[in-house]
C-alpha cells in the first residue's frame, strides 16, 4: 500500500511540476517584451517571486525570450545585489539545460529549436574550448542560448563550459541588472552611469566580436 501511495505521489508531483513549468513557459511566450510586465508577473507570486524568476530564466532556452530584458526585469524587481544573484543562478540553470539538450538530443533537434546555424560556433568551441566560451559570454551580441546549445554539440567538458559561463557573464549580468535597479530613479546620476556602462559594454562587445570574426577568417 505504501509503495502504491509513494508511486501515486511521485506521479502527482510530476504532473504538478509539468503544469507549473508549462504555465510559466506559456506566460513567457505570451508576455510583452518589457521589464515592467515581467515585474508585474513575478511580484504577483509574493514570497515565491525569487523562485519564479529563477525558473523563468532557466526556461528561457526553450522560449528564446531575450535574456537581457529578463535581466533588466530582475534588477527592477530585486535590486542590483539580489537581482544579480538570482539572474546568475537562472542563467547557469538555463545554460546547463541548453547544453544537455544538445548533448542528449543532437544537432537536428537543436536546429529545430534555435533555427540558427551552429556550425561556426561549434568549430570555434572545438578549437579552443574554455577560452572561446569565456570570450563569447563576454559578448552580449552573441545570443546566450545559442552559445549554450552550440557548446553541447562539441567536445568541451561541462565543467569548463560552466566555469567559463560564470566568469564570462559577470559584466553583462551586472550591467543589465543595474539598469533595472536604477530605472526606479530615472534622471539620477546612478541611472546615467548605468546607461554609460551599457554603452561601454556594447562598444566592447562590437570590438570583441569583430576581433573574433577576423581571427576565424585567418
Amino acid at each position: 500500500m505504501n509503495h502504491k501511495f509513494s508511486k501515486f505521489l511521485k506521479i502527482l508531483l510530476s504532473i504538478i511540476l509539468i503544469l507549473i513549468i508549462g504555465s510559466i513557459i506559456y506566460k513567457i511566450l505570451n508576455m510583452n517584451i518589457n521589464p515592467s510586465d515581467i515585474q508585474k508577473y513575478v511580484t504577483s507570486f509574493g514570497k515565491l517571486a525569487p523562485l519564479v524568476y529563477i525558473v523563468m530564466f532557466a526556461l528561457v532556452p526553450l522560449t528564446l525570450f531575450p535574456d537581457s530584458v529578463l535581466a533588466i526585469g530582475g534588477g527592477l524587481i530585486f535590486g542590483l545585489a539580489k537581482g544579480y544573484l538570482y539572474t546568475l543562478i537562472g542563467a547557469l540553470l538555463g545554460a546547463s539545460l541548453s547544453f544537455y539538450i544538445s548533448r542528449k538530443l543532437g544537432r537536428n533537434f537543436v536546429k529545430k529549436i534555435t533555427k540558427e546555424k551552429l556550425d561556426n560556433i561549434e568549430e570555434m568551441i572545438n578549437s579552443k574550448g574554455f577560452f572561446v566560451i569565456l570570450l563569447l559570454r563576454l559578448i552580449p551580441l552573441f545570443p546566450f542560448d545559442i552559445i549554450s546549445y552550440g557548446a553541447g554539440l562539441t567536445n568541451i567538458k561541462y565543467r569548463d563550459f560552466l566555469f567559463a559561463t560564470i566568469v564570462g557573464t559577470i559584466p553583462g549580468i551586472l550591467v543589465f541588472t543595474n539598469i533595472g535597479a536604477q530605472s526606479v530613479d530615472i534622471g539620477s546620476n546612478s541611472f546615467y552611469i548605468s546607461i554609460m556602462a551599457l554603452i561601454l559594454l556594447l562598444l566592447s562587445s562590437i570590438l570583441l566580436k569583430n576581433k573574433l570574426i577576423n581571427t576565424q577568417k585567418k
Side-chain angles (χ1 to χ4, degrees):
M1 187 69 179
N2 288 335
H3 176 70
K4 288 183 178 179
F5 179 75
S6 175
K7 187 175 181 181
F8 169 77
L9 191 60
K10 286 180 181 178
I11 294 172
L12 181 61
L13 289 174
S14 298
I15 292 172
I16 292 172
L17 183 61
I18 290 170
L19 288 174
I20 291 172
I21 291 174
S23 66
I24 292 176
I25 291 176
Y26 177 81
K27 182 63 181 179
I28 294 173
L29 289 171
N30 290 277
M31 185 179 289
N32 291 326
I33 303 180
N34 65 74
S36 123
D37 278 355
I38 295 169
Q39 181 188 29
K40 289 176 185 175
Y41 177 69
V42 172
T43 54
S44 69
F45 288 89
K47 291 182 179 180
L48 291 176
L51 179 61
V52 171
Y53 176 76
I54 289 171
V55 171
M56 283 179 70
F57 222 108
L59 295 177
V60 159
L62 302 179
T63 63
L64 297 184
F65 189 87
D67 302 89
S68 56
V69 176
L70 199 53
I72 292 172
L76 180 62
I77 300 164
F78 304 109
L80 177 57
K82 289 183 179 179
Y84 174 83
L85 178 62
Y86 299 151
T87 299
L88 177 63
I89 294 171
L92 292 178
L93 290 173
S96 300
L97 176 63
S98 307
F99 184 88
Y100 278 108
I101 284 176
S102 288
R103 192 141 285 189
K104 298 296 181 183
L105 300 180
R107 182 178 286 100
N108 291 334
F109 180 83
V110 170
K111 283 193 173 182
K112 289 178 183 178
I113 297 177
T114 62
K115 297 178 182 178
E116 294 275 351
K117 292 182 178 179
L118 301 172
D119 297 340
N120 291 336
I121 290 178
E122 285 181 65
E123 187 179 338
M124 286 189 290
I125 296 172
N126 270 323
S127 64
K128 295 183 180 177
F130 174 88
F131 174 75
V132 170
I133 292 290
L134 177 62
L135 192 58
L136 289 173
R137 292 306 194 199
L138 289 169
I139 307 175
L141 298 177
F142 278 104
F144 184 90
D145 301 315
I146 302 301
I147 296 167
S148 302
Y149 280 121
L153 298 174
T154 69
N155 56 16
I156 188 172
K157 293 180 180 177
Y158 173 70
R159 178 189 60 197
D160 294 337
F161 166 78
L162 191 67
F163 185 57
T165 297
I166 292 172
V167 177
T169 55
I170 290 174
I173 293 178
L174 276 176
V175 167
F176 286 115
T177 52
N178 189 44
I179 286 177
Q182 302 306 327
S183 64
V184 296
D185 192 16
I186 294 176
S188 66
N189 289 336
S190 298
F191 176 74
Y192 289 122
I193 290 172
S194 70
I195 296 299
M196 289 173 62
L198 174 62
I199 293 170
L200 183 61
L201 178 68
L202 292 176
L203 289 175
S204 302
S205 295
I206 292 170
L207 291 174
L208 283 171
K209 183 178 181 181
N210 289 338
K211 186 175 181 179
L212 188 62
I213 291 172
N214 291 333
T215 302
Q216 282 300 112
K217 288 180 179 178
K218 291 179 182 180

